[in-house]
Amino acid sequence: MSKKSDTYDADLEQLQVLLVETQHWTIEQGRKTLIIFEGRDSAGKDGAIKRIIEYMSPRQTRVVALSKPTERETSQWYFQRYVPHLPADCETVLFNRSWYNRAGVEPVMGFCTPEQHVQFLSDAPLFERMLADDGMTLIKLWLDISKVEQARRLAERIQDPLKRFKVSPLDAEAQARWEDYSKARDRMLDETDHNHAPWTVVATDDKKAARLNIIRHILRSIGGPGAAAEAPDETIVFPASKSKGRLAP
């Protein structure tokens, strides 16, 4: 095992211990915590979530990854299908993709109308402000990846039988529509980044460095024991408001 791997494993274990201590504090305080993971395909959402929840309380921790909406759900108020999954007191919920599908894949792939897209960008900050005003800690992460690294990871998925469930018909569109996704991302970050729920960007070409720094950011955002975590590397984790020229084009 390489020295780099040894350091990663040790650092990850320390951060996971702090995650457990911090979650114990949130449970004692009755806190509600919602962490939203968004990003391009293969940017590392699954891997980061796996490491975060590994030792957390199974009763107070949930991962939400919703499938394609039903016909009935498509007729509902857009945010309605997400509301039942929001955290109650003492709970931590991680969304592996979220209502922000309407700011990315849906407009790019034509799964919503331009009017619905515009309406969502207007409504999302208002919806999130209600969550924040209710006392919820809302952490929004955009995992960014370069086009070259995404192509490598997507090709790797196809070859690895253990990653069969990660292969999607939309994978090919991720590269073919790269520029369209970039434009949708930029508009989303510009119009839905606000004080109550700011966007944080994570550069994920180095998976392991990204995971460690994501956990550091989450810990410091929650507070309590998590405030003692080392500050994230600013070249890897940075506010969306300072992302100009730093996102994959």
Side-chain angles (χ1 to χ4, degrees), residues 126-141:
L126 301 176
F127 176 64
E128 291 166 2
R129 177 163 186 167
M130 287 191 289
L131 302 182
D133 287 348
D134 191 52
M136 188 178 300
T137 298
L138 180 52
I139 301 168
K140 300 191 307 192
L141 301 169

Side-chain angles (χ1 to χ4, degrees), residues 98-116:
S98 67
W99 44 83
Y100 281 101
N101 281 332
R102 180 141 292 180
V105 65
E106 289 192 16
V108 170
M109 296 300 299
F111 297 157
C112 71
T113 67
E115 292 77 17
Q116 288 173 323

